[in-house]
Amino acid sequence: MDGGKNPDTCVLCGAPLKVIHPAEVMYCAICGKKYTDVVVCKDGHYICEHCRKNPGKEMIRYICMRTESKDPIEIATEIMSTPVIAFRQQEHHSIVAASLLTAYKNSGGGVGDFKALLNEAMKRGAHIPYLIQMETGTSGGALSAGIFHSVVTGLNTHSKESWTRGGKLVAECLMGISEIEGPCCCKRCTFTAINVTAKKCEEYFNVSMEIPENIVCTFSKNNGECIKERCPYFPA
Ligand SMILES: [Zn+2]
Ligand SMILES: [Zn+2]
């Protein structure tokens, strides 16, 4: 799982890298682009140089650009299940916005240039500091939901209705997240922010995403600090 931090191992599976000769034409396992290169992992994964440097961000883009899912929980779970997204990784601050934006688009929500909006959401998500909830009391997941709302509405300083709606949405996400005592969990915050926001989208935009009736977390066993039965997403 530390593959992304060690330049000598595969960012996907953590296996050691090897240099092949002669160079081969290969498709990057994250972005799908074609390159002629000489570095693959022992298990055969080829990751291009750009994706090796930004595996989490590129994986979010890769999944969001391809999925047809209308369920933002499913999209976020798919992203978080990849080995390039570790617990408490800063990328969770982009995952909420990106998953919501993708499911919103796939559910018929108007987004215009989706790729441009996704890139803008990812850029703003990257601005949210890693330990923001500990340092400020404000969840990065709630702020990421606010990013989704801001990019979808084109929020600006002269906005009227969207201005108050965006603030209320972030506040409602933060209320939902704050109802459960710590320790903190990036997955719990992500699920809550997405769930609250998807429901608000019906009211705000008349867009209905597909949200599971019971959200079930599949990451508990990997989190030594999981609060288990105190978490609404802990598997029964
Ligand atoms: Zn590999
Ligand atoms: Zn790539």
Side-chain angles (χ1 to χ4, degrees):
M1 208 66 69
D2 63 349
K5 299 179 185 76
N6 183 345
D8 298 327
T9 58
C10 174
V11 298
L12 265 190
C13 70
L17 299 178
K18 63 177 183 180
V19 176
I20 55 171
H21 182 78
E24 284 182 23
V25 175
M26 296 178 282
Y27 291 89
C28 173
I30 292 181
C31 71
K33 288 181 188 155
K34 189 166 87 173
Y35 293 94
T36 301
D37 209 332
V38 295
V39 181
V40 290
C41 89
K42 288 253 158 65
D43 288 339
H45 298 126
Y46 167 64
I47 314 289
C48 76
E49 190 185 0
H50 180 73
C51 291
R52 274 202 294 272
K53 286 180 185 155
N54 309 282
K57 288 182 183 62
E58 293 310 320
M59 187 62 83
I60 295 169
R61 281 198 187 92
Y62 178 75
I63 289 174
C64 290
M65 289 301 293
R66 282 161 184 77
T67 183
E68 293 179 1
S69 174
K70 298 173 180 170
D71 176 355
I73 296 287
E74 180 181 64
I75 297 169
T77 299
E78 185 181 349
I79 294 168
M80 295 189 296
S81 298
T82 63
V84 296
I85 304 291
F87 263 88
R88 302 209 174 94
Q89 200 164 306
Q90 196 277 341
E91 268 84 357
H92 287 87
H93 297 162
S94 297
I95 290 172
V96 172
S99 302
L100 282 164
L101 185 63
T102 304
Y104 179 83
K105 184 256 298 174
N106 291 343
S107 302
V111 294
D113 184 344
F114 174 66
K115 189 176 179 184
L117 232 53
L118 179 64
N119 284 336
E120 178 62 25
M122 301 271 305
K123 190 180 90 184
R124 295 184 193 182
H127 288 163
I128 303 175
Y130 161 58
L131 290 172
I132 187 164
Q133 181 142 13
M134 186 188 83
E135 293 175 343
T136 70
T138 306
S139 160
L143 293 180
S144 191
I147 290 174
F148 157 74
H149 177 269
S150 286
V151 297
V152 158
T153 58
L155 196 72
N156 63 63
T157 50
H158 295 283
S159 300
K160 292 179 179 167
E161 189 181 36
S162 300
W163 189 262
T164 61
R165 283 179 163 186
K168 284 179 182 174
L169 171 66
V170 173
E172 282 192 32
C173 289
L174 194 53
M175 283 301 290
I177 289 164
S178 306
E179 271 170 18
I180 306 160
E181 289 185 354
C184 79
C185 174
C186 45
K187 313 305 180 197
R188 194 171 72 237
C189 291
T190 296
F191 291 146
T192 300
I194 287 176
N195 194 28
V196 168
T197 307
K199 285 173 181 152
K200 272 280 164 199
C201 278
E202 296 183 21
E203 177 192 332
Y204 285 1
F205 309 118
N206 205 19
V207 170
S208 297
M209 302 184 205
E210 291 175 2
I211 286 279
E213 206 157 307
N214 292 308
I215 298 170
V216 178
C217 177
T218 54
F219 304 96
S220 168
K221 58 186 179 304
N222 300 326
N223 179 10
E225 294 187 324
C226 176
I227 61 171
K228 300 188 190 297
E229 284 78 9
R230 283 201 293 114
C231 175
Y233 314 119
F234 187 64

